[in-house]
Amino acid sequence: MAKLADVAKLAGVSVTTVSRVINNYGSLSEKTKTKVFAAMHTLNYQPNSVARSLQGKSSRLIGLIFPGVSNPFFGELVQTLENKLSALDYRVILCNSVNNADTERAYLRMLQANQVAGIITGTHNLTIREYEHVDAPIISFDRHLGDNIPIVSSDNYAGGKLATELLIKTGATCIVMISGANRPNSPTNLRVKGYEDSLQQADLPTHVLELPFSMSPTLKRVEIRQHLTTLKPDAVFCSDDLTAILVGDVAQELGLKIPEQLKLVGYDGTRLIQDYQPQLSTVVQPIGDLADLMIQLLRQRIKDNKVQLQAQYTLPVSLHTGASVLATKA
Amino acid sequence: MAKLADVAKLAGVSVTTVSRVINNYGSLSEKTKTKVFAAMHTLNYQPNSVARSLQGKSSRLIGLIFPGVSNPFFGELVQTLENKLSALDYRVILCNSVNNADTERAYLRMLQANQVAGIITGTHNLTIREYEHVDAPIISFDRHLGDNIPIVSSDNYAGGKLATELLIKTGATCIVMISGANRPNSPTNLRVKGYEDSLQQADLPTHVLELPFSMSPTLKRVEIRQHLTTLKPDAVFCSDDLTAILVGDVAQELGLKIPEQLKLVGYDGTRLIQDYQPQLSTVVQPIGDLADLMIQLLRQRIKDNKVQLQAQYTLPVSLHTGASVLATKA
DNA sequence: GTGAAAGCGCTAACAG
DNA sequence: CTGTTAGCGCTTTCAC
């Protein structure tokens, strides 16, 4: 790979000059510029960004720490982030924390060692206050990671209410909520809160079933079947779409007609679900807007790490209504 | 962030010595080692990998170029690759080529500028012979990119036969195949070939419907509905699971019972599909093995870029049989 | 067993 | 308008 000095020699100028035309700075004569461009072209020159970031320039590398891209929600979020970042001439280092604190710590160190310009993290890990000792700017998706780390999320509480009220409106009276495990700081807690408040307001009982994020789908099915047969609810609200699909499956196995005998609402509303399970009603998180906002905030911090940002940014959710719920009163 | 010189000063030794203990190289007295380790620890020292790779050491950065992680198959493949690479102390730069040749060219340049140690690409782009001018080692997933670039794939031809023969065995006689657009070098072509050969052998007619990868699910539904009503097939084989889900949906809308009136087989067999659509029969690609092999080959090339590798490595597929096909003869 | 010093490819004062 | 030169943080000969 050709280097700056090669280009300089070929163009018959100094390395400084070449550096200047590359970075378009200082004053250059048109003639030199042309010469240099020509040399760069014939040598197929590509600046070495490692050398560049060594001497202080931004690496334009962004670390993305998420539980994993095989989950459709995170897959779409990561892809959206990557697309938008890449359009802004940033590159993305992908980190799958698999919800393991040690792994995450290691990633954090690694990202710093690689001089990343910033980090966006949406991991499910908790208690990692070590985030506060990272000097690269950080934006968090949906988690509290430290007092100076802005949180971007969609309105989990409103989402919980939205879903529950939809179910109440259709006449359901025994509405079960299936959520991930109740862990401190978890964003799904607010979804549960929205659910509980809505039911309380309507004077209806609450039933929350917690199925850990990490539980296998097969086990989840077992739990769901048991609850469906025991409680005989007429509606289920799941804090994610995948679990909702499981509920739909089990209901069918039990001969329960959806939505006649069981109404169902999920959460997340990824493109994948809307395209391939359009009958599933779900609370839609605005992935594109979330990504835009996180990037915008991160860039502000990259420009000036001291800039004061809000502790929390909340974006509105919307409702996708499909056949899994009837819009009419029962 | 502390640097080598800081550690050296604190430990009362030279930078050389510190570098030696970090890289475990040359001969050091236990005493110095201990001192240095202590200093590294109190300073929370982390070697700057940018500086490291500048002076010649490997960046331990691997570029991953795929159409996008929002597709479950690529999402799982990328996640698997990332997990395994990260366990080997490599980091991953994620590139979503979105099937755009220019984007991909830009990614290739960028990856080289970042001194990546190697590249794994599974993009849907074609004709990019520019791959041959990249000096980082490359391994390709399922595409021909140049004579010296090994291709790793699962056995698409066998997969096509497997699915088709399953359908034939159940008594289907009008078996439609829905594949992605027929493009040169596309791996799905071999799946179609397997389908055609199986039917020819059984003296049955072939019907291939091509729906471009990029076509919207809504449009795909329209096309599928039209073909289902016109041709009235008794079985459909799709070259990917998502399209198979669409077929299942449309069939249900048309009042066609699966598998009694319509048998259905998909392709890919991701964890997601097996967990959430277990009734769908599908040809399962061995994602873990594919990832292992690609990484193994890449590491060989990283160690010695001249090492002779096969042009093509083909891994066996398997069949997941669900209720969308009856295993008994009709 | 340990250190001094050159240099990886690039940028940015500082001179002219 | 252009060139000389000193590093960025680290590894690695070559000395001692």
Side-chain angles (χ1 to χ4, degrees), chain A residues 221 224-225 228 245-256:
Chain A
R221 281 175 199 267
I224 290 167
R225 171 181 287 263
L228 249 37
I245 291 178
L246 255 25
V247 173
D249 257 30
V250 172
Q252 193 178 5
E253 285 165 23
L254 294 172
L256 294 170

Side-chain angles (χ1 to χ4, degrees), chain B residues 53-67:
Chain B
S53 64
L54 208 233
Q55 62 57 58
K57 279 251 195 264
S58 161
S59 66
R60 303 200 74 80
L61 240 31
I62 304 288
L64 255 36
I65 310 180
F66 282 90

Side-chain angles (χ1 to χ4, degrees), chain A residues 11-29:
Chain A
V13 297
S14 75
V15 288
T16 317
T17 306
V18 180
S19 176
R20 285 205 180 99
V21 356
I22 288 172
N23 296 288
N24 191 35
Y25 111 86
S27 43
L28 298 299
S29 76

Side-chain angles (χ1 to χ4, degrees), chain B residues 13 19 49-50 115 142 225 236 244 276 281 285:
Chain B
V13 297
S19 176
S49 56
V50 170
Q115 309 280 90
D142 228 5
R225 169 181 288 262
V236 177
Y276 295 94
S281 298
Q285 296 203 60

Side-chain angles (χ1 to χ4, degrees), chain B residues 3-4 19 45 52 55:
Chain B
K3 45 208 244 189
L4 208 56
S19 176
Y45 173 73
R52 234 178 209 194
Q55 62 57 58

